[in-house]
C-alpha cells in the first residue's frame, strides 16, 4: 500500500479565532485608553485645584500687606486731620482682616482709594466675614512651617497696629492706663503721635511685616511649585502611556491587514486597497465588500475605524485652531501688559521688574520734588459735576504729562487734583533742580492761559523742595512707584502755603537756581510740623525776565 501524500498545511489560525483575539486586544487597549483618559481628567482637576488653593492663599496673604499699608495711611491721616471717617475706615480695614466684616469683592490696594473718593460704597457692616485669618488659612491646608510664618507676620501686624492705635488715641488725649483700655485722660499729645507714626521704629516694624509676608508667600509658592511640577510629571506620564496605547492599536491594525491579505488574496485585494487609501489620509474610502462572513465584518470594522479617525482629525483640527487663537490672544495680552506696565512705572524700573528683580528700593541723595493742586477744587468739582471734573483734570494733566516728557522729569502720581513730579529719579540727573523749575514755569504758564478755554477760573498752587529721598516699587500684582522722605513732606507744605498761581520754593531750591532764575523773597513761612523756614517765589528764567509779567503779591 502506497503512503498518502499529505495536503499542504493551511494557516494554523482560523479566521474566527484570529478575529476573536484581534478584538479582544482592541477592547483591552480601548479600555486602557478610557482608564488613562479618566486619570488624565483627574490629574487636570487636581492641578486646577492646586492652582486655586495657591491663588486663595496668596490673595489672603496680600490682605496683610493691604491692611498694613492702608492702616498707616489712615492712622497718619487721622492724626493730621482728626477726621472721624479715617478712624472708621481704619476700624473697617482691621475688621476685614480679622474676618469680622466680609471681604469686599475685588478687594485690593486701590479699593480704599475708590471708597475715599466716593466711587464705591464702604464695606457692608451687615455682612459678616469668614472668621480670623488664621482659621481661613488652616482651611486651605497650609503646613506647620507656613502657619508659623503666618503667625509671625500676624504678630508683627498686631504690633504695628498697636502703635497706630496709641498714636490715634494720643491726639485725643487718651492714654493707656495699664490695662490697654486708653481710659487715662490728659492733654492731647500731637508730638507723641507723630513720633510714633513717623519714627524709625515704626518704619522698621512695617518693613519687618512686609518681609514676613514676602517670606510666607515665597514658602507657599515654592511648595506649590513642587506640587504642580509633580502633577505635571504625572500628567506627562499618562499622556505618554496613552501615546503608546495608540501606537499599539495602530500596530495591531496594520498586522491584521497583512495577515488577511496573505490568507484571502482575492477577496481582500479591494480591502487592502481601501486600507492603503485610508493610511494615505483618505478617510472617506469605502471597501465595497459585502457579506456577513469574517471578511465582511472586517471591512465594516475598517470603515467604522476610518469614520472615527476622520471625526478625531476634525476634532483635532478644531483644537489646533483654538490653540492658535489662544496663543495669539496670549501674545496680545502680553504686549498689552507690557505697555500698561510702562505706563504705570518709569521705563528703567519696568525693565528691572521684567528682568526678575522682586524688590526695588534705592536712596537718592539729591533730587527735587514738585507738588501742585487746584485752588478751590472741591467747590469747583461740585459745580462741574463728576463728568466735567474728570474732563477738566484730563485736559490739565495731559498737558502736564507732555511737559514731564519734554523736560526729562518723572511723574510719580496724581491724587485727586494733586500732581507730583520728581527730578533725578529713577535716572540720576545733576540738573534735576533746573529741569523741575523749567517744568513748573511752563506748567504755570499753561494754567494762566487755561481759563480762556474754561467757563470757570482755574488757579493753581505749586511748591518745590530739594533733598534726599528713598524710592521704590510697592505691590506684587498692582505696582506703584513712590517716594519717601522728609523732602516729600516739605515740598507738599510749600505747595499748601503758596499763593494762587505762584511757585513757592524753599531756600535750598533758590541756592541751586540763583544763577539762572529770578526769585522774589516771600519771607518766613510756617510749615506744619517743620517750624518756620525762609521761602521764595520762582518768577522766571533770567534770560526771559524782561518779558515776565510783574509779580504782584495778593
Amino acid at each position: 500500500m502506497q503512503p498518502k501524500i499529505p495536503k499542504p498545511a493551511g494557516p494554523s489560525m482560523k479566521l474566527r479565532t484570529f478575529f476573536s483575539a484581534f478584538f479582544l486586544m482592541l477592547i483591552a487597549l480601548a479600555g486602557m485608553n478610557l482608564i488613562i483618559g479618566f486619570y488624565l481628567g483627574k490629574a487636570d482637576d487636581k492641578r486646577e485645584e492646586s492652582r486655586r488653593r495657591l491663588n486663595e492663599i496668596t490673595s489672603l496673604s496680600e490682605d496683610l500687606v493691604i491692611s498694613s499699608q492702608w492702616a498707616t495711611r489712615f492712622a497718619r491721616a487721622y492724626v493730621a486731620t482728626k477726621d472721624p471717617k479715617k478712624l472708621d475706615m481704619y476700624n473697617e480695614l482691621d475688621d476685614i482682616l480679622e474676618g469680622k466684616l466680609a471681604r469686599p469683592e475685588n478687594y485690593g490696594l486701590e479699593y480704599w482709594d475708590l471708597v475715599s473718593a466716593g466711587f464705591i460704597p464702604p464695606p457692608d457692616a451687615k455682612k459678616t466675614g469668614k472668621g480670623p485669618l488664621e482659621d481661613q488659612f488652616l482651611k486651605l491646608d497650609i503646613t506647620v512651617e507656613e502657619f508659623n510664618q503666618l503667625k509671625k507676620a500676624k504678630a508683627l501686624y498686631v504690633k504695628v497696629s498697636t502703635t497706630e492705635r496709641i498714636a490715634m488715641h494720643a491726639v485725643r488725649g487718651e492714654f493707656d492706663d495699664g490695662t490697654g483700655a486708653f481710659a487715662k485722660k490728659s492733654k492731647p499729645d500731637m508730638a507723641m503721635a507723630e513720633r510714633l507714626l513717623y519714627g524709625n521704629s515704626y518704619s522698621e516694624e512695617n518693613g519687618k511685616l512686609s518681609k514676613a509676608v514676602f517670606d510666607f508667600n515665597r514658602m507657599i509658592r515654592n511648595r506649590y511649585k513642587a506640587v504642580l511640577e509633580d502633577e505635571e510629571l504625572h500628567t506627562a506620564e499618562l499622556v505618554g502611556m496613552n501615546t503608546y496605547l495608540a501606537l499599539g492599536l495602530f500596530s495591531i491594525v496594520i498586522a491584521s491587514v497583512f495577515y488577511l491579505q496573505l490568507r484571502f488574496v482575492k477577496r481582500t485585494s479591494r480591502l487592502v486597497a481601501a486600507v492603503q487609501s485610508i493610511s494615505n489620509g483618505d478617510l472617506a474610502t469605502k471597501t465595497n465588500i459585502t457579506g456577513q462572513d469574517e471578511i465582511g465584518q472586517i471591512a465594516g470594522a475598517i470603515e467604522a475605524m476610518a469614520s472615527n479617525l476622520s471625526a478625531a482629525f476634525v476634532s483635532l483640527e478644531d483644537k489646533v485652531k483654538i490653540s492658535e487663537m489662544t496663543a495669539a490672544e496670549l501674545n496680545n495680552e502680553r504686549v498689552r501688559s507690557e505697555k500698561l506696565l510702562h505706563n504705570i512705572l518709569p521705563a528703567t524700573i519696568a525693565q528691572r521688574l521684567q528682568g526678575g528683580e522682586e524688590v526695588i528700593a534705592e536712596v537718592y541723595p539729591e533730587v527735587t520734588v514738585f507738588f501742585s493742586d487746584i485752588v478751590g477744587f472741591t467747590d469747583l468739582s461740585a459745580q462741574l459735576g463728576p463728568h466735567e471734573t474728570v474732563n477738566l483734570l484730563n485736559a490739565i494733566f495731559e498737558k502736564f504729562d507732555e511737559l514731564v516728557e519734554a523736560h526729562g522729569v518723572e511723574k510719580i502720581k496724581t491724587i485727586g487734583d494733586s500732581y507730583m513730579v520728581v527730578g533725578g529719579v529713577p535716572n540720576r540727573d545733576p540738573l534735576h533742580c533746573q529741569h523741575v523749575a523749567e517744568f513748573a514755569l511752563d506748567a504755570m504758564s499753561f494754567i494762566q492761559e487755561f481759563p480762556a478755554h474754561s467757563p470757570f477760573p482755574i488757579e493753581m498752587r505749586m511748591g518745590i523742595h530739594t533733598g534726599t529721598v528713598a524710592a521704590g516699587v510697592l505691590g506684587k500684582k498692582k505696582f506703584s512707584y513712590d517716594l519717601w522722605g522728609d523732602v516729600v513732606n516739605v515740598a507738599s507744605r510749600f505747595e499748601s502755603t503758596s499763593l494762587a498761581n505762584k511757585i513757592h520754593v524753599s531756600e535750598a531750591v533758590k541756592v541751586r537756581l540763583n544763577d539762572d532764575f529770578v526769585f522774589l523773597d516771600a519771607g518766613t513761612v510756617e510749615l506744619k510740623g517743620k517750624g518756620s523756614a525762609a521761602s521764595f517765589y520762582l518768577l522766571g528764567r533770567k534770560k526771559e525776565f524782561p518779558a515776565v509779567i510783574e509779580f504782584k503779591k495778593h
Side-chain angles (χ1 to χ4, degrees), residues 16 101 117 166 243 253 276 383 399 403 413 432 528 553:
R16 183 175 298 178
L101 273 181
I166 292 173
T243 302
V253 172
Q276 187 63 42
Q383 297 178 55
K399 180 63 178 179
L403 294 175
K413 59 185 174 182
H432 57 87
K528 185 177 180 180
K553 188 170 182 180

Side-chain angles (χ1 to χ4, degrees), residues 252-519:
I252 291 172
V253 172
I254 295 299
S256 299
V257 169
F258 279 105
Y259 179 83
L260 294 174
Q261 184 181 25
L262 290 173
R263 186 173 179 184
F264 304 99
V265 177
K266 291 182 178 181
R267 290 198 64 209
T268 58
S269 57
R270 287 179 294 171
L271 184 60
V272 171
V275 171
Q276 187 63 42
S277 179
I278 291 172
S279 66
N280 289 334
D282 186 6
L283 300 179
T285 299
K286 300 297 181 180
T287 61
N288 296 319
I289 297 174
T290 60
Q292 297 299 318
D293 59 354
E294 292 92 345
I295 297 177
Q297 294 174 4
I298 291 173
I302 290 177
E303 289 185 355
M305 187 183 301
S307 178
N308 291 336
L309 287 173
S310 179
F313 279 126
V314 170
S315 177
L316 179 60
E317 288 174 356
D318 291 341
K319 291 180 180 178
V320 169
K321 290 179 181 178
I322 293 173
S323 298
E324 291 174 350
M325 293 174 61
T326 302
E329 291 173 356
L330 288 174
N331 184 63
N332 291 337
E333 185 66 20
R334 178 186 61 79
V335 172
R336 189 184 72 82
S337 298
E338 290 181 356
K339 183 178 179 181
L340 181 60
L341 184 62
H342 282 78
N343 286 337
I344 295 173
L345 301 176
T348 56
I349 298 301
Q351 291 170 359
R352 289 171 63 182
L353 283 174
Q354 290 175 321
E357 290 191 50
E358 294 186 355
V359 179
I360 296 179
E362 298 180 73
V363 174
Y364 294 84
E366 184 74 15
V367 303
T368 300
V369 178
F370 165 96
F371 277 97
S372 71
D373 73 354
I374 298 174
V375 177
F377 178 73
T378 301
D379 294 336
L380 179 61
S381 62
Q383 297 178 55
L384 291 175
H387 184 75
E388 291 301 326
T389 299
V390 172
N391 287 340
L392 172 66
L393 291 178
N394 273 336
I396 294 174
F397 289 167
E398 282 177 4
K399 180 63 178 179
F400 278 24
D401 290 345
E402 292 177 8
L403 294 175
V404 162
E405 186 173 354
H407 290 289
V409 294
E410 191 69 42
K411 171 185 175 182
I412 297 301
K413 59 185 174 182
T414 61
I415 303 176
D417 63 318
S418 178
Y419 194 93
M420 179 180 178
V421 170
V422 65
V425 176
N427 299 320
R428 302 178 192 272
D429 179 9
L431 299 178
H432 57 87
C433 200
Q434 288 89 335
H435 291 160
V436 172
E438 290 173 349
F439 163 80
L441 288 170
D442 288 348
M444 184 59 75
S445 296
F446 170 73
I447 290 299
Q448 290 172 341
E449 297 172 357
F450 189 80
H453 309 287
S454 173
F456 297 93
I458 303 297
E459 294 181 321
M460 183 169 281
R461 292 187 297 265
M462 297 183 181
I464 306 176
H465 185 48
T466 187
T468 300
V469 300
V473 176
L474 297 175
K476 292 296 180 183
K477 293 184 177 180
K478 299 181 183 298
F479 299 109
S480 173
Y481 188 72
D482 210 345
L483 307 180
W484 304 272
D486 194 57
V487 63
V488 177
N489 298 326
V490 173
S492 178
R493 299 288 193 277
F494 270 95
E495 176 270 312
S496 63
T497 56
S498 176
L499 296 176
N501 283 354
K502 300 298 180 290
I503 305 172
H504 201 196
V505 305
S506 66
E507 186 173 14
V509 173
K510 180 179 182 298
V511 169
R512 288 164 174 78
L513 302 180
N514 208 34
D515 292 340
D516 299 317
F517 293 82
V518 178
F519 297 86

Side-chain angles (χ1 to χ4, degrees), residues 174-185:
E174 299 170 354
F175 301 89
D176 191 354
D177 60 356
T179 66
F182 296 99
K184 183 179 179 181
K185 303 294 182 179

